[in-house]
Amino acid sequence: MIRFNVPPYTGKEMEYIRQAVDNMHICGDGEFTKRCSAYLEKITGTAKCLLTTSCTHALEMAALLCDIKEGDEVILPSYTFVSTADAFVLRGAVPVFVDIRPDTMNIDENLIEAAITERTKAIVVVHYAGVACEMDKIMEIAGKYHLRVVEDAAQAVMCTYKGKPLGTFGDFGCFSFHETKNFSMGEGGALLIRDEKYIEEAEIIREKGTDRSKYYRGQVDKYRWMNYGSSYLPSDMNAAYLYSQFEVADQINEARVARWNQYYRLLKPLQDAGKITLPVVPEECEHNGHMFYMKTKDLRERTELIRFMEEKGILAVSHYVPLHSAPAGLKFGRFHGEDHYTTAESERLLRLPMFYQLTEEQTDYIADRVKEFYGA
Ligand SMILES: *Cc1c(COP(=O)(O)O)cnc(C)c1O
C-alpha cells in the first residue's frame, strides 16, 4: 500500500532528541527551539519567530494579538482547515466566508472588499498547497480599511510570492509542523511576527501571561504575571526532531518539488484531453510541493477514482468540507456573496500521495494508475 502521507524523517532525529535529553532541558525554549526559531528568522527575514505547539495555537496567538473581540468579523475562505476559523471564533468573532478562485483554491481577492463591514477587524488568508494568495491586492485592501492581516501559512514554509517568503506579508504568519506537513515535529507550529512592536506581548501570551522570556534572557530578575496568556511553547524534544529536518531543508524541498513536477508532467496529457484539471501555480508564486492535487469531472467520478486507486494499493484522498456548510460554520459564521466555486471545486478535488520519502518509481506507478482509470 502506498500511504497518502509518511512523516518526514532524515535520520538525525533520535540523536538530537537524545541531545535534548542529555542537556537536561526538555521543556520549552531550549537549545533546539532557539536553533529552529533562528533558522526560520533567517530564511524568512521576519522580525521574530516563536515556535508554538501547533499552527492552530499560532493562529490563536494571532487572534489575541489582533485584539479580536466578541462580535468582530474576520474575512476568510470557507475552503480551509477548521483552525483558520476556530482560532478567531474562540475570541467571539464571526467568520465571514468568501468564495475561492477555482485556479488556486485560494480566497478570491476580488471578493474581499464587498464583504467588509464596520465590524471587520481582519483578513485571514490561507496559502493553499503552498501557493500564494494575491498578496499585493490583499495588503492594499487591508491598508485602505485599516484591517489586520493574518496568513495561515501552515502549508507554505519555504514558499514565496514575488520572491518574498509567505508568512511575512501580514501582521502575523502561522506555520504548521504537524506530521502531515513538509517539516515536522509531530505536533507544532510557529508564529511569525512582522512588526517588532508585537514581540513583547507575543512572548508574554505564549508564556502563560508572564515575562518569563525576559527573565530567561536576564533582562528582569524575577518573572511576573503581566497579561492574559496560555502555554503555547513546545518541548525542546519536539524541536530537536524538527531541527534535524531544517538542516536538510533544501533537500526535502527539492525532493517534493521534483515529485510534484513529475506528477504534473505525467498527468498533463489527461488535462490536455479534457479529462482532469491540474493545479495552477501563478508565475509570481514559488511553491514547496506540499500537495499534489487534481480535479475530476464531479463528485461521483472522484469517489470512483478513490476506490479504483485503493484497489491498486494507493491511498488518494479528498480534502476540506467547506466550513460554511459544516455544523459549526452554520452556527458561528456566514457566507458573503455566492458560493460559485467553494463547494463545487472541493467536491472534485483529489490529493495524490505526497511525502519526502516518495520515490520516483512510486510516483510513476501512481500516475500510471490514474491514466489507467481514464483509459489512457
Ligand atoms: C495543517 C493546517 C492547520 C493546522 O495545523 P496544526 O499544526 O495541526 O494546528 C491549519 N491550517 C491549515 C491550512 C493547515 O493545512
Side-chain angles (χ1 to χ4, degrees):
M1 201 69 172
I2 303 179
R3 291 172 58 168
F4 171 70
N5 176 63
V6 175
Y9 186 78
T10 67
K12 282 270 190 89
E13 283 83 352
M14 297 316 284
E15 183 188 326
Y16 285 176
I17 290 173
R18 167 146 229 118
Q19 268 183 41
V21 174
D22 288 345
N23 289 344
M24 287 188 275
H25 189 116
I26 58 173
C27 68
D29 285 339
E31 199 46 46
F32 287 103
T33 305
K34 281 182 198 144
R35 283 196 216 168
C36 287
S37 322
Y39 174 77
L40 290 170
E41 281 164 12
K42 191 183 87 189
I43 64 163
T44 60
T46 197
K48 187 77 184 172
C49 165
L50 295 175
L51 221 57
T52 60
T53 28
S54 65
C55 178
T56 304
H57 281 167
L59 287 161
E60 285 182 20
M61 286 184 69
L64 285 166
L65 291 161
C66 288
D67 198 26
I68 299 293
K69 294 266 183 342
E70 189 84 32
D72 287 344
E73 293 179 359
V74 296
I75 296 173
L76 73 166
S78 168
Y79 185 71
T80 182
F81 189 61
V82 291
S83 303
T84 322
D86 218 1
F88 293 84
V89 167
L90 259 183
R91 306 263 71 82
V94 177
V96 176
F97 302 110
V98 301
D99 210 5
I100 51 167
R101 298 160 42 137
D103 58 349
T104 58
M105 302 299 283
N106 283 335
I107 191 165
D108 186 336
E109 67 279 2
N110 295 314
L111 300 176
I112 294 173
E113 201 162 356
I116 295 173
T117 72
E118 277 166 10
R119 306 191 134 195
T120 308
K121 199 79 164 278
I123 303 171
V124 188
V125 300
V126 182
H127 305 297
Y128 189 66
V131 176
C133 298
E134 265 309 316
M135 291 315 291
D136 280 353
K137 177 80 194 268
I138 291 164
M139 294 312 293
E140 184 195 313
I141 297 169
K144 188 170 157 192
Y145 293 92
H146 306 288
L147 304 176
R148 300 267 85 86
V149 173
V150 176
E151 294 175 74
D152 181 341
Q155 306 172 7
V157 182
M158 290 181 84
C159 300
T160 61
Y161 172 76
K162 298 189 175 171
K164 188 172 146 72
L166 298 189
T168 65
F169 287 84
D171 298 81
F172 304 104
C174 305
F175 285 161
S176 173
F177 303 119
H178 184 258
E179 76 162 31
T180 52
K181 301 302 199 283
N182 292 27
F183 306 98
S184 181
M185 54 198 282
E187 300 277 358
L191 177 71
L192 302 185
I193 302 170
R194 189 189 61 198
D195 302 323
E196 285 182 4
K197 65 175 183 202
Y198 288 111
I199 297 176
E200 192 172 333
E201 192 186 344
E203 285 182 339
I204 288 170
I205 288 173
R206 179 169 168 270
E207 266 281 22
K208 300 95 180 163
T210 73
D211 55 355
R212 184 146 74 179
S213 296
K214 266 191 169 168
Y215 171 73
Y216 274 151
R217 285 195 296 266
Q219 293 164 331
V220 288
D221 53 16
K222 47 177 165 305
Y223 71 87
R224 296 177 305 161
W225 185 24
M226 306 299 286
N227 198 352
Y228 47 73
S230 189
S231 187
Y232 291 126
L233 64 171
S235 151
D236 215 49
M237 292 185 289
N238 296 59
Y241 190 101
L242 181 64
Y243 190 69
S244 72
Q245 289 155 43
F246 283 169
E247 282 189 324
V248 291
D250 288 332
Q251 201 175 306
I252 292 176
N253 211 47
E254 280 160 26
R256 295 188 77 117
V257 171
R259 294 292 78 74
W260 195 99
N261 289 335
Q262 189 185 347
Y263 270 135
Y264 194 92
R265 181 168 39 80
L266 295 169
L267 296 176
K268 181 78 170 27
L270 283 183
Q271 170 165 267
D272 294 342
K275 300 211 187 269
I276 65 170
T277 308
L278 292 176
V280 172
V281 180
E283 211 175 316
E284 59 270 23
C285 305
E286 201 179 345
H287 73 93
N288 58 0
H290 172 65
M291 178 197 305
F292 192 88
Y293 67 82
M294 50 164 278
K295 291 178 192 162
T296 58
K297 184 164 92 265
D298 52 24
L299 178 60
R300 209 175 108 207
E301 188 177 282
R302 184 180 72 180
T303 308
E304 283 166 15
L305 178 54
I306 289 174
R307 196 175 311 130
F308 179 84
M309 297 300 272
E310 209 175 325
E311 277 163 18
K312 305 291 174 186
I314 299 158
L315 284 180
V317 297
S318 60
H319 211 181
Y320 307 129
V321 174
L323 298 182
H324 73 281
S325 56
L330 292 168
K331 186 156 109 191
F332 298 121
R334 65 183 157 82
F335 198 96
H336 180 90
E338 271 180 69
D339 172 10
H340 277 299
Y341 298 113
T342 300
T343 302
E345 296 299 300
S346 70
E347 288 181 348
R348 300 169 58 206
L349 187 139
L350 180 72
R351 295 177 294 160
L352 299 178
M354 174 58 86
F355 45 89
Y356 174 45
Q357 297 93 326
L358 185 71
T359 65
E360 203 174 330
E361 294 70 29
Q362 285 173 320
T363 308
D364 276 336
Y365 176 77
I366 296 162
D368 278 345
R369 298 292 77 71
V370 175
K371 286 176 162 172
E372 187 185 334
F373 176 81
Y374 285 101

